[in-house]
Amino acid sequence: MTDEATTSPQTPIAVASNRLPFSFHRTSKGLERRHSPGGLVSALEPMLRKRGGTWIGWPGIVPRPSEVIETDGASYRIAPVLLSESEVTRYYHGFSNRTLWPLFHSMSDRARFDGRDYAAYAQVNERFADAVVESAPDAGLIWIHDYHLLLAPRHIRRRDSTTPLAFFLHVPFPPYDMFRLLPWDREILQSLLACDLIGFHVRGYAQNFLDCAERVLGARVHRDAMLVEYGDRTTRIDAFPIGIEFDVFEKLAANAPRPREIQQERVVLGVDRLDYTKGIPERIQAFEKLLERYPEHREKVVLLQLAVPSRSQVNEYRELKREIDELVGRVNGRFATASWSPVRYLYRSFRHERLASLYRDADVALVTPLRDGMNLVAKEFVACQVADPGVLVLSSLAGAADTMREALRVNPYDVEGTAEAIHRALEMGENERASRIAALRIRERRDDLDAWTTKFIEAATIGPAATLPLADTDFVAWLGGFIDDHRLALFLDYDGTLTPLCEHPDQARLSPAMRQALQICAKRPDTDITIVSGRGLAGVRKVVGEEGLIYAGNHGLEIEGVGIEHFEHEDLIHYRARSEALADQLDEIASHGAWTERKGPTLTFHFRAVPEPVREGLIEDARQRIAKAGYQPRPAHCAIEARPPVGWDKGRAVLHVLRARYGPNWSETARVVYVGDDQTDEDAFRFLAGLAQTFRVGSPDTPTAASRRLPDVDAVQSLLEWLGRRPEPRL
Ligand code: ADQ
């Protein structure tokens, strides 16, 4: 893909969303292509039509062998992603619409968590990612849309590291307390943070995302600059409130004939996809309350509710339809007269021309979702007010409420309050109506769809955001309150943590600056340092060479140092001789630069220098020999450790040090910080979860149980420097 950092307005864009702008339906005459309903398509189709590029998406049907998915006729390329029936069930109806949709709308009681749905979702997302990379090699920007494709960015980034990659979420991003219900919260955040830019409708959602990145992943978050640093990437986070094609709706409204649905009564209009987030039952109840409280509206006002069918395979949606049918029946049964029915409910899709005339001629638009990313209906209504101005009643829980301040705000759960707002809207004088609508129209005309896409694309292609160097404020935020007035028990791995990883362990030396930082910490009377290494005890002592520390060698099987008695795991005695014999056996296969490090009761088989083609075979051979000798083969950095199966690891070693040093109630005395970069440090991270602040050094791609990450050895040095100069506690 292109290397260019910036994108001219003509640069083709790859857009990926669950749905293509049209979907296919099986009819007696074969497959029929229909415009896809919903806000996302309304938003993106005009943009691609104008700019060109590729749209990657699912055509909405599982074709039979004889059926052809016809993708001609658009002014941009279409790349369909085909799904099997079971993928549609699990990825789309399942994880997307039964897990993410309700959860992201903060309706957790409706959310279902099923590992099989998630697995299918992950697999389908990978397929979308492949389709993006393969079908749009010329793209200057890859723009992924919405909650169906949260896991796509990470796969795309793996295959293409240079093209600007951006994500826009059309639904709300939930608060931390809601988001963390998701068993796959980390995976989703990690994937999104492969992007250069993540856009949300409003600032509140962006702030929720920042909270989650910080609290779930331990990422570094800059709230003022709206940046998230995670591993080696910095991602911009921002609010981009979506707009509509204002002039198109305005023109449609100016030219459309009077709709036959509107007769002599005054009209309160609702227009929605049939969805439980849209608050349709609550709205009908509010209208019922209006008629109850203000009888003067009877026979003079109707609620005209249009609902476009949506997700009818999902049970909740079928139930909702039944619920609405019953409610409409109840209200009509209660108030209808021979010449008037209060609620007119039309369950179908309308063409834009018809919608525009209904918006124009309605007296009140009732846009009362229980939660909504933005809500385009509110904006379309405003654009269509070209004649007698109507009144917009808007839910404060829609993203649109953030900017559409001049609307009458309601809490949709407050049925009485909503009834009052409808009454007020119906009674409002022309001057007030005109003033409110004029202000709304000025904003929506200015912040239209074109302005939105331009602003988003500009932000997405501005070039990578700089990573700010770690500052004291970061360490204060992470550790200040945690350590507070306690002693600090600091545990540090050596290779890859205090020194960069080297070809040969002998080359891994402490830099003078790192040594100085270590010495300053070690001198503090309130700090105890333990070096926990996979090296043998004598080896690690020698290479660090500092007095006044505790050393734990062989992953903590041997421990000695200030303030504690020498410790050696009781079973080790049986392994010293066996370890030598195993090392001899491994030496027999140590070709192509592989070698065996003898560390007393344990050993490490290094294969960093071994060329790829022979590596796999060699590793397998070594693993087998290690296992046969009664050791556990454990993966390490370009090496395999042979560990005695004695049920001991770095985690248990840390606990041993803490108890030996501070007694069984060590947590009253000391606060524990552990920093490591290796797979073997994961034992300590898991063990110390909840007991310590743990830092994993290195690539963001490696899964970790640590509470935070540090990008590299330099960051470890900054941490030590801060620990060395932090204020003395009142011990
Ligand atoms: P949706 O949940 O689909 O979109 P919304 O923004 O209201 O919600 O858009 C609905 C679209 O469908 C509008 O363009 C409307 O005109 C159209 N529509 C509704 N009823 C119709 C009917 N009976 N016939 C024909 N058309 C109908 C998601 C998010 C929103 C976000 C958008 C865009 O849930 O919060 O605003 O994406 O980002």
Side-chain angles (χ1 to χ4, degrees):
M1 295 207 178
T2 174
D3 284 334
E4 277 175 37
T6 56
T7 302
S8 76
Q10 281 72 42
T11 310
I13 290 186
V15 163
S17 64
N18 170 59
R19 281 298 171 104
L20 287 170
F22 42 75
S23 41
F24 290 81
H25 300 261
R26 201 163 276 124
T27 69
S28 54
K29 291 187 211 119
L31 288 191
E32 190 184 292
R33 205 162 104 168
R34 292 186 207 146
H35 193 77
S36 301
L40 186 141
V41 167
S42 315
L44 293 179
E45 221 278 338
M47 190 270 297
L48 263 193
R49 230 186 301 127
K50 272 185 211 153
R51 298 182 59 107
T54 309
W55 193 320
I56 298 102
W58 176 51
I61 199 167
V62 179
R64 294 175 183 150
S66 59
E67 291 170 337
V68 180
I69 298 296
E70 195 56 69
T71 57
D72 296 346
S75 54
Y76 46 88
R77 238 178 306 162
I78 297 277
V81 176
L82 297 182
L83 305 177
S84 69
E85 289 287 1
S86 76
E87 283 169 339
V88 174
T89 306
R90 292 208 173 275
Y91 145 77
Y92 180 64
H93 298 305
F95 197 70
S96 297
N97 287 334
R98 280 199 198 138
T99 309
L100 295 174
W101 176 266
L103 193 71
F104 277 35
H105 285 85
S106 293
M107 298 185 173
S108 56
D109 50 338
R110 290 183 184 265
R112 184 182 87 167
F113 302 101
D114 182 329
R116 290 163 306 175
D117 287 354
Y118 175 74
Y121 178 89
Q123 207 174 23
V124 168
N125 269 244
E126 196 164 343
R127 190 110 49 80
F128 267 84
D130 288 341
V132 168
V133 176
E134 282 152 25
S135 68
D138 54 347
L141 168 66
I142 300 171
W143 189 358
I144 314 291
H145 288 264
D146 227 1
Y147 62 99
H148 312 87
L149 298 179
L150 297 169
L151 292 178
R154 199 161 178 202
H155 294 298
I156 293 174
R157 197 50 104 186
R158 284 204 184 118
R159 294 194 57 182
D160 171 359
S161 58
T162 52
T163 307
L165 177 60
F167 189 95
F168 186 81
L169 187 69
H170 290 260
V171 296
F173 194 88
Y176 167 70
D177 258 348
M178 191 58 61
F179 183 71
R180 68 185 173 141
L181 299 183
L182 197 60
W184 307 278
D185 53 353
R186 295 179 67 86
E187 288 77 355
I188 283 174
L189 293 173
Q190 282 167 338
S191 171
L192 288 175
L193 288 171
C195 293
D196 298 293
L197 173 71
I198 307 172
F200 300 93
H201 281 306
V202 301
R203 221 177 144 85
Y205 308 155
Q207 276 158 349
N208 288 345
F209 182 82
L210 294 177
D211 286 347
C212 290
E214 185 169 49
R215 298 179 72 178
V216 176
L217 287 185
R220 189 170 172 226
V221 163
H222 304 281
R223 279 167 206 281
D224 295 341
M226 304 277 277
L227 297 174
V228 178
E229 280 174 30
Y230 187 63
D232 58 358
R233 180 170 300 280
T234 302
T235 302
R236 293 194 173 86
I237 312 297
D238 213 342
F240 299 87
I242 202 167
I244 57 160
E245 283 192 295
F246 189 94
D247 51 353
V248 170
F249 274 95
E250 184 181 49
K251 222 171 276 159
L252 284 175
N255 298 326
R258 187 166 173 83
R260 58 173 178 273
E261 288 81 6
I262 296 189
Q263 287 141 19
Q264 68 277 26
E265 301 105 335
R266 304 186 71 197
V267 170
V268 175
L269 179 67
V271 177
D272 304 86
R273 263 187 324 100
L274 188 86
D275 195 291
Y276 52 78
T277 60
K278 301 291 182 183
I280 301 173
E282 291 77 1
R283 189 180 305 168
I284 297 170
Q285 284 162 17
F287 191 72
E288 181 182 28
K289 186 63 71 188
L290 172 89
L291 298 178
E292 207 178 279
R293 280 203 182 164
Y294 300 99
E296 65 267 35
H297 295 308
R298 294 184 196 168
E299 298 200 292
K300 298 204 177 61
V301 181
V302 293
L303 171 64
L304 177 58
Q305 175 64 52
L306 317 184
V308 64
S310 175
R311 303 174 196 170
S312 36
Q313 282 96 327
V314 178
N315 227 350
E316 282 92 330
Y317 288 74
R318 287 199 295 265
E319 273 166 26
L320 175 67
K321 182 169 182 301
R322 214 176 10 252
E323 186 189 348
I324 295 173
D325 286 342
E326 281 171 19
L327 254 177
V328 170
R330 187 183 87 193
V331 178
N332 281 345
R334 193 169 159 203
F335 292 102
T337 62
S339 58
W340 172 76
S341 286
V343 184
R344 217 165 292 156
Y345 172 51
L346 303 173
Y347 178 60
R348 64 188 144 91
S349 184
F350 281 74
R351 295 167 59 81
H352 272 170
E353 295 73 10
R354 292 283 298 288
L355 271 187
S357 65
L358 287 163
Y359 286 140
R360 180 196 61 205
D361 294 339
D363 295 85
V364 178
L366 203 46
V367 182
T368 54
L370 303 179
R371 187 81 55 161
D372 213 334
M374 172 56 75
N375 194 294
L376 299 180
V377 169
K379 301 189 172 215
E380 293 166 3
F381 171 74
V382 163
C384 292
Q385 296 312 296
V386 293
D388 187 20
V391 181
L392 175 62
V393 175
L394 180 60
S395 162
S396 56
L397 300 173
D402 246 42
T403 49
M404 301 182 86
R405 293 187 295 275
E406 300 79 3
L408 296 191
R409 302 274 197 107
V410 293
N411 176 335
Y413 290 100
D414 175 9
V415 169
E416 264 123 46
T418 307
E420 287 302 324
I422 305 171
H423 176 64
R424 189 174 159 213
L426 287 166
E427 297 291 297
M428 194 181 283
E430 208 215 321
N431 278 349
E432 185 181 347
R433 278 187 282 130
S435 305
R436 288 180 184 277
I437 281 294
L440 286 164
R441 284 172 62 80
I442 289 168
R443 189 181 306 108
E444 294 310 322
R445 188 193 297 280
R446 186 193 63 207
D447 300 338
D448 69 352
L449 186 64
D450 237 12
W452 178 75
T453 44
T454 307
K455 203 172 149 214
F456 188 91
I457 291 167
E458 259 173 34
T461 50
I462 207 166
T467 297
L468 303 178
L470 281 175
D472 282 5
T473 45
D474 295 303
F475 300 126
V476 171
W478 297 342
L479 296 175
F482 170 73
I483 301 173
D484 200 20
D485 281 344
H486 296 81
R487 289 190 75 73
L488 170 63
L490 179 60
F491 291 83
L492 301 164
D493 175 43
Y494 182 75
D495 296 277
T497 299
L498 295 177
T499 72
L501 291 172
C502 298
E503 282 293 314
H504 193 285
D506 288 350
Q507 298 161 348
R509 301 258 159 225
L510 283 178
S511 70
M514 185 66 98
R515 182 174 296 283
Q516 194 187 11
L518 196 62
Q519 284 168 343
I520 291 172
C521 281
K523 271 201 203 106
R524 288 180 62 125
D526 59 353
T527 301
D528 304 312
I529 299 180
T530 305
I531 308 289
V532 192
S533 173
R535 293 181 182 233
L537 182 60
V540 66
R541 266 207 103 115
K542 184 157 170 258
V543 76
V544 176
E546 291 295 326
E547 290 308 311
L549 312 188
I550 299 171
Y551 290 95
N554 273 320
H555 307 289
L557 288 166
E558 305 169 284
I559 304 172
E560 66 181 22
V562 283
I564 61 169
E565 277 179 31
H566 178 89
F567 165 83
E568 182 173 307
H569 193 280
E570 58 194 12
D571 293 342
L572 280 196
I573 190 129
H574 311 301
Y575 284 89
R576 285 193 194 274
R578 283 164 73 176
S579 165
E580 281 302 311
L582 172 60
D584 292 343
Q585 281 184 37
L586 290 173
D587 279 347
E588 286 168 17
I589 57 162
S591 59
H592 299 89
W595 63 284
T596 315
E597 185 184 357
R598 295 167 190 247
K599 305 188 296 186
T602 76
L603 56 82
T604 306
F605 184 71
H606 293 269
F607 52 81
R608 184 177 292 271
V610 177
E612 281 295 340
V614 285
R615 210 179 241 203
E616 272 308 307
L618 193 63
I619 293 173
E620 196 37 47
D621 204 353
R623 289 180 68 85
Q624 281 180 15
R625 283 171 189 240
I626 291 169
K628 209 159 156 223
Y631 281 74
Q632 287 173 339
R634 300 279 296 264
H637 283 303
C638 289
I640 311 174
E641 306 263 1
R643 305 258 294 271
V646 294
W648 193 257
D649 55 34
K650 285 183 173 180
R652 288 175 174 83
V654 169
L655 199 62
H656 173 86
V657 170
L658 291 168
R659 289 172 65 97
R661 190 78 218 243
Y662 313 110
N665 293 334
W666 58 266
S667 62
E668 277 181 33
T669 316
R671 288 288 179 266
V672 180
V673 173
Y674 188 110
V675 189
D677 76 304
D678 194 76
Q679 216 29 53
T680 59
D681 294 308
E682 290 296 329
D683 295 326
F685 298 150
R686 271 189 298 276
F687 207 86
L688 291 171
L691 297 173
Q693 286 289 339
T694 51
F695 291 85
R696 168 107 193 206
V697 183
S699 157
D701 276 350
T702 330
T704 182
S707 40
R708 292 187 185 280
R709 288 176 189 269
L710 293 171
D712 50 26
V713 171
D714 287 346
V716 178
Q717 186 182 315
S718 304
L719 170 64
L720 291 186
E721 286 166 354
W722 177 78
L723 287 171
R725 66 169 177 271
R726 74 189 199 283
E728 296 272 343
R730 303 178 300 276
L731 286 176

